[in-house]
Amino acid sequence: MNYELHYQNLIKKHGIEKRPINTAGYERHHILPKSLGGSNATCNLVYLTGRQHLLAHWFLYKIHRNAEMA
């Protein structure tokens, strides 16, 4: 399975760049995790639902196989 492609598609399809008006249920996610050199720049942040955020980190774990993504 191509986890990187699935991760990219999740971010592209479901990631919301601007803060949702009703933030209940949304979490901020670093596209490139800080542990891998990502920053807090707005171009590296998206809002995902809790379920999507969990899935994003699962994909990142499968891609990078490090405990910080688990």
Side-chain angles (χ1 to χ4, degrees):
M1 180 178 275
N2 188 340
Y3 294 110
E4 191 166 344
L5 179 62
H6 287 293
Y7 176 72
Q8 291 171 359
N9 286 339
L10 175 72
I11 299 301
K12 184 177 178 181
K13 185 175 181 181
H14 298 288
I16 301 171
E17 293 178 7
K18 294 184 180 181
R19 185 178 183 162
I21 294 170
N22 181 5
T23 58
Y26 282 92
E27 302 172 356
R28 200 162 55 169
H29 173 71
H30 290 86
I31 298 168
L32 178 62
K34 291 179 76 174
S35 63
L36 297 175
S39 70
N40 286 329
T42 55
C43 63
N44 190 43
L45 295 168
V46 292
Y47 287 90
L48 297 170
T49 66
R51 181 182 172 96
Q52 293 162 350
H53 197 193
L54 178 67
L55 188 56
H57 279 273
W58 185 78
F59 286 144
L60 287 169
Y61 171 75
K62 289 296 203 175
I63 295 165
H64 299 288
R65 295 290 181 173
N66 65 9
E68 294 166 338
M69 295 301 111

